[in-house]
Amino acid sequence: MGHPISLAHLTVLDTTPPELVTVAAAAGFRTIGIRLTATPSVGVPPYDILRETLLRLADTGVSVLDTEFLRFEPDRPIGVPEGFLEVSARLGAKHVLVMSAEPDEARTIERLGELCDGAAQYGLNVCLEFAIYTGVRTLAHAASLLAKAKRSNASILIDALHFSRSGGLPVHVQQVDPALFRYAQICDASADMPGPTDTPALIREARTGRLLPGEGVLPLAELIAALPAGAPLAIEAPCRATADLPALERAKRAYRALTSLAGA
């Protein structure tokens, strides 16, 4: 069984959600991930876009794989913006993505359980993404938290870059219950890895320094082979070198690279 492919919003983050739908469809994608929340650290303005996005989804036949992103912050007890889950469901999303900056593991588990319970009311799956500079640092750490949270609609989101930078290898995927992997985010990266404690450099790489599959050194084919058959693959590959190209051209390049890798 092949892997369905999706275009993650971060690859063309300069597009609004309605524009993302149009660009993705023109590039060949049938599925997308939409960033709904405005985050000043990434420079995304808030949008009031639901109606136009729904119209374009209907017109193009593109569907929504996931919405993002939620983040548990220790100084912000409310981790889910009002309407986020409802809008995600109206868009037809299957998953919502969350990261945690909580230093307290017990608090992360508590908040994850609350989010899963809320998401379940809308038929949504919650994907916990780990990164070495967050409160959930590794695949093994994420798996242990899900075991403690005990929610059937909780899963782990493997981002190829974060997975690699946290010391992850494809063989590690095979040590985790495959039912916990509902989809994955794919990109490549250079051999010039930031130090594991250089958080600013790691964040810069994640936001603007990724590469398309085949342009770097990550063992992507092996990673995909370790994932469950048929698990969707979302390409998340913002790159400084091509940031000035039109969004459609970047999306087309992403489509070609991911389909070549996935054999779609």
Short mmCIF file of all heavy atoms in Angstrom, two decimals, residues 36-69:
data_model
loop_
_atom_site.label_atom_id
_atom_site.label_comp_id
_atom_site.label_asym_id
_atom_site.label_seq_id
_atom_site.Cartn_x
_atom_site.Cartn_y
_atom_site.Cartn_z
N LEU A 36 -3.76 27.11 11.72
CA LEU A 36 -4.88 27.97 12.08
C LEU A 36 -4.49 29.07 13.05
O LEU A 36 -5.09 30.14 13.05
CB LEU A 36 -6.00 27.15 12.73
CG LEU A 36 -6.71 26.12 11.85
CD1 LEU A 36 -7.76 25.39 12.68
CD2 LEU A 36 -7.35 26.78 10.65
N THR A 37 -3.52 28.81 13.91
CA THR A 37 -3.21 29.75 14.97
C THR A 37 -2.10 30.69 14.55
O THR A 37 -1.14 30.28 13.90
CB THR A 37 -2.78 29.03 16.26
OG1 THR A 37 -1.74 28.11 15.94
CG2 THR A 37 -3.94 28.27 16.85
N ALA A 38 -2.23 31.94 14.93
CA ALA A 38 -1.18 32.92 14.67
C ALA A 38 -0.13 32.81 15.76
O ALA A 38 -0.44 32.74 16.94
CB ALA A 38 -1.77 34.33 14.68
N THR A 39 1.14 32.77 15.37
CA THR A 39 2.23 32.68 16.33
C THR A 39 3.24 33.77 16.02
O THR A 39 3.91 33.71 14.99
CB THR A 39 2.91 31.30 16.25
OG1 THR A 39 3.24 31.02 14.89
CG2 THR A 39 1.99 30.21 16.75
N PRO A 40 3.36 34.77 16.88
CA PRO A 40 4.27 35.87 16.61
C PRO A 40 5.70 35.43 16.33
O PRO A 40 6.42 36.07 15.56
CB PRO A 40 4.18 36.72 17.88
CG PRO A 40 2.84 36.40 18.45
CD PRO A 40 2.61 34.94 18.12
N SER A 41 6.15 34.33 16.94
CA SER A 41 7.52 33.90 16.74
C SER A 41 7.78 33.45 15.31
O SER A 41 8.91 33.43 14.84
CB SER A 41 7.86 32.74 17.69
OG SER A 41 7.00 31.64 17.45
N VAL A 42 6.71 33.09 14.59
CA VAL A 42 6.86 32.69 13.19
C VAL A 42 6.39 33.81 12.27
O VAL A 42 6.68 33.81 11.08
CB VAL A 42 6.06 31.39 12.91
CG1 VAL A 42 6.29 30.89 11.51
CG2 VAL A 42 6.46 30.30 13.90
N GLY A 43 5.70 34.79 12.81
CA GLY A 43 5.30 35.94 12.02
C GLY A 43 4.07 35.73 11.17
O GLY A 43 3.92 36.34 10.12
N VAL A 44 3.16 34.87 11.59
CA VAL A 44 1.96 34.61 10.81
C VAL A 44 0.81 35.46 11.34
O VAL A 44 0.50 35.40 12.52
CB VAL A 44 1.56 33.11 10.91
CG1 VAL A 44 0.37 32.83 10.00
CG2 VAL A 44 2.74 32.25 10.53
N PRO A 45 0.15 36.26 10.49
CA PRO A 45 -0.98 37.06 10.97
C PRO A 45 -2.20 36.18 11.18
O PRO A 45 -2.34 35.13 10.55
CB PRO A 45 -1.23 38.04 9.81
CG PRO A 45 -0.75 37.30 8.60
CD PRO A 45 0.43 36.48 9.07
N PRO A 46 -3.10 36.59 12.05
CA PRO A 46 -4.34 35.81 12.21
C PRO A 46 -5.23 35.98 10.99
O PRO A 46 -5.17 36.98 10.29
CB PRO A 46 -4.98 36.44 13.45
CG PRO A 46 -4.45 37.82 13.48
CD PRO A 46 -3.06 37.75 12.94
N TYR A 47 -6.06 35.00 10.69
CA TYR A 47 -6.97 35.12 9.56
C TYR A 47 -8.40 34.76 9.96
O TYR A 47 -8.62 33.96 10.84
CB TYR A 47 -6.60 34.21 8.38
CG TYR A 47 -5.29 33.51 8.37
CD1 TYR A 47 -5.10 32.27 8.99
CD2 TYR A 47 -4.22 34.05 7.66
CE1 TYR A 47 -3.91 31.61 8.91
CE2 TYR A 47 -3.02 33.38 7.58
CZ TYR A 47 -2.87 32.17 8.21
OH TYR A 47 -1.67 31.51 8.12
N ASP A 48 -9.31 35.32 9.23
CA ASP A 48 -10.70 34.92 9.37
C ASP A 48 -11.05 34.29 8.02
O ASP A 48 -11.53 34.95 7.11
CB ASP A 48 -11.58 36.12 9.66
CG ASP A 48 -13.04 35.76 9.79
OD1 ASP A 48 -13.32 34.54 9.93
OD2 ASP A 48 -13.88 36.66 9.72
N ILE A 49 -10.81 32.99 7.88
CA ILE A 49 -10.73 32.40 6.56
C ILE A 49 -11.60 31.16 6.37
O ILE A 49 -11.51 30.52 5.33
CB ILE A 49 -9.27 32.00 6.26
CG1 ILE A 49 -8.62 31.29 7.46
CG2 ILE A 49 -8.46 33.18 5.86
CD1 ILE A 49 -9.02 29.89 7.71
N LEU A 50 -12.39 30.83 7.33
CA LEU A 50 -13.06 29.54 7.28
C LEU A 50 -13.95 29.41 6.05
O LEU A 50 -13.88 28.41 5.32
CB LEU A 50 -13.89 29.32 8.54
CG LEU A 50 -14.66 28.00 8.60
CD1 LEU A 50 -13.72 26.81 8.49
CD2 LEU A 50 -15.47 27.92 9.89
N ARG A 51 -14.79 30.39 5.79
CA ARG A 51 -15.75 30.25 4.69
C ARG A 51 -15.03 30.09 3.35
O ARG A 51 -15.36 29.19 2.57
CB ARG A 51 -16.68 31.47 4.65
CG ARG A 51 -17.71 31.41 3.54
CD ARG A 51 -18.67 32.60 3.59
NE ARG A 51 -19.63 32.55 2.51
CZ ARG A 51 -19.41 33.01 1.29
NH1 ARG A 51 -18.24 33.55 0.99
NH2 ARG A 51 -20.35 32.93 0.35
N GLU A 52 -14.08 30.94 3.05
CA GLU A 52 -13.38 30.87 1.77
C GLU A 52 -12.58 29.58 1.65
O GLU A 52 -12.50 28.97 0.57
CB GLU A 52 -12.46 32.08 1.59
CG GLU A 52 -11.69 32.11 0.27
CD GLU A 52 -12.60 32.19 -0.95
OE1 GLU A 52 -13.74 32.70 -0.83
OE2 GLU A 52 -12.17 31.73 -2.03
N THR A 53 -11.99 29.15 2.75
CA THR A 53 -11.24 27.89 2.71
C THR A 53 -12.16 26.71 2.41
O THR A 53 -11.83 25.85 1.60
CB THR A 53 -10.52 27.67 4.06
OG1 THR A 53 -9.67 28.78 4.33
CG2 THR A 53 -9.67 26.40 4.00
N LEU A 54 -13.32 26.69 3.04
CA LEU A 54 -14.27 25.61 2.80
C LEU A 54 -14.73 25.61 1.34
O LEU A 54 -14.88 24.54 0.72
CB LEU A 54 -15.47 25.76 3.73
CG LEU A 54 -15.23 25.42 5.20
CD1 LEU A 54 -16.41 25.85 6.06
CD2 LEU A 54 -14.97 23.93 5.38
N LEU A 55 -14.95 26.78 0.77
CA LEU A 55 -15.36 26.86 -0.63
C LEU A 55 -14.28 26.30 -1.55
O LEU A 55 -14.56 25.54 -2.48
CB LEU A 55 -15.66 28.32 -1.00
CG LEU A 55 -16.94 28.93 -0.43
CD1 LEU A 55 -17.02 30.42 -0.73
CD2 LEU A 55 -18.17 28.22 -1.00
N ARG A 56 -13.03 26.65 -1.28
CA ARG A 56 -11.94 26.18 -2.15
C ARG A 56 -11.69 24.69 -1.97
O ARG A 56 -11.37 23.99 -2.93
CB ARG A 56 -10.67 26.99 -1.89
CG ARG A 56 -10.82 28.46 -2.25
CD ARG A 56 -9.49 29.14 -2.45
NE ARG A 56 -9.64 30.58 -2.48
CZ ARG A 56 -8.68 31.44 -2.80
NH1 ARG A 56 -7.46 30.96 -3.10
NH2 ARG A 56 -8.87 32.74 -2.81
N LEU A 57 -11.86 24.19 -0.75
CA LEU A 57 -11.74 22.75 -0.54
C LEU A 57 -12.79 22.02 -1.37
O LEU A 57 -12.51 21.00 -2.02
CB LEU A 57 -11.89 22.42 0.94
CG LEU A 57 -10.74 22.82 1.86
CD1 LEU A 57 -11.16 22.64 3.32
CD2 LEU A 57 -9.48 22.01 1.57
N ALA A 58 -14.01 22.54 -1.35
CA ALA A 58 -15.10 21.90 -2.11
C ALA A 58 -14.84 21.98 -3.61
O ALA A 58 -15.08 21.02 -4.35
CB ALA A 58 -16.43 22.56 -1.76
N ASP A 59 -14.33 23.12 -4.06
CA ASP A 59 -14.09 23.32 -5.50
C ASP A 59 -12.96 22.43 -6.02
O ASP A 59 -13.01 21.97 -7.16
CB ASP A 59 -13.75 24.78 -5.78
CG ASP A 59 -14.97 25.70 -5.67
OD1 ASP A 59 -16.11 25.18 -5.68
OD2 ASP A 59 -14.78 26.92 -5.55
N THR A 60 -11.93 22.22 -5.22
CA THR A 60 -10.74 21.50 -5.69
C THR A 60 -10.74 20.02 -5.34
O THR A 60 -10.02 19.24 -5.95
CB THR A 60 -9.48 22.11 -5.07
OG1 THR A 60 -9.55 22.01 -3.64
CG2 THR A 60 -9.32 23.58 -5.48
N GLY A 61 -11.54 19.64 -4.34
CA GLY A 61 -11.51 18.25 -3.87
C GLY A 61 -10.36 17.96 -2.93
O GLY A 61 -10.16 16.81 -2.54
N VAL A 62 -9.60 18.98 -2.55
CA VAL A 62 -8.51 18.81 -1.59
C VAL A 62 -9.12 18.60 -0.20
O VAL A 62 -10.13 19.21 0.15
CB VAL A 62 -7.59 20.05 -1.60
CG1 VAL A 62 -6.61 20.03 -0.42
CG2 VAL A 62 -6.83 20.14 -2.92
N SER A 63 -8.49 17.74 0.59
CA SER A 63 -8.95 17.49 1.96
C SER A 63 -7.88 17.94 2.96
O SER A 63 -6.75 18.20 2.58
CB SER A 63 -9.28 16.01 2.16
OG SER A 63 -8.13 15.21 1.97
N VAL A 64 -8.27 17.99 4.22
CA VAL A 64 -7.38 18.47 5.27
C VAL A 64 -6.92 17.29 6.13
O VAL A 64 -7.75 16.61 6.75
CB VAL A 64 -8.06 19.54 6.14
CG1 VAL A 64 -7.13 20.00 7.26
CG2 VAL A 64 -8.49 20.72 5.28
N LEU A 65 -5.63 17.07 6.16
CA LEU A 65 -5.06 16.01 6.99
C LEU A 65 -4.99 16.43 8.44
O LEU A 65 -5.37 15.68 9.34
CB LEU A 65 -3.66 15.64 6.48
CG LEU A 65 -2.89 14.60 7.30
CD1 LEU A 65 -3.59 13.24 7.22
CD2 LEU A 65 -1.45 14.48 6.81
N ASP A 66 -4.44 17.65 8.67
CA ASP A 66 -4.28 18.09 10.05
C ASP A 66 -4.36 19.60 10.15
O ASP A 66 -4.26 20.32 9.15
CB ASP A 66 -2.95 17.59 10.64
CG ASP A 66 -1.74 18.26 10.01
OD1 ASP A 66 -1.84 18.72 8.86
OD2 ASP A 66 -0.68 18.33 10.66
N THR A 67 -4.58 20.06 11.37
CA THR A 67 -4.50 21.48 11.69
C THR A 67 -3.47 21.66 12.79
O THR A 67 -3.23 20.77 13.60
CB THR A 67 -5.86 22.05 12.15
OG1 THR A 67 -6.36 21.26 13.24
CG2 THR A 67 -6.87 22.05 11.03
N GLU A 68 -2.85 22.83 12.77
CA GLU A 68 -1.80 23.11 13.75
C GLU A 68 -1.78 24.58 14.11
O GLU A 68 -2.47 25.37 13.46
CB GLU A 68 -0.46 22.65 13.21
CG GLU A 68 -0.03 23.31 11.92
CD GLU A 68 1.36 22.91 11.49
OE1 GLU A 68 1.97 22.02 12.10
OE2 GLU A 68 1.87 23.55 10.56
N PHE A 69 -0.92 25.02 15.04
CA PHE A 69 -0.49 24.00 15.97
C PHE A 69 -0.79 24.50 17.35
O PHE A 69 -0.87 25.70 17.59
CB PHE A 69 1.02 23.66 15.81
CG PHE A 69 1.99 24.73 16.19
CD1 PHE A 69 2.45 24.82 17.48
CD2 PHE A 69 2.43 25.65 15.25
CE1 PHE A 69 3.35 25.79 17.84
CE2 PHE A 69 3.34 26.63 15.61
CZ PHE A 69 3.80 26.71 16.90
#
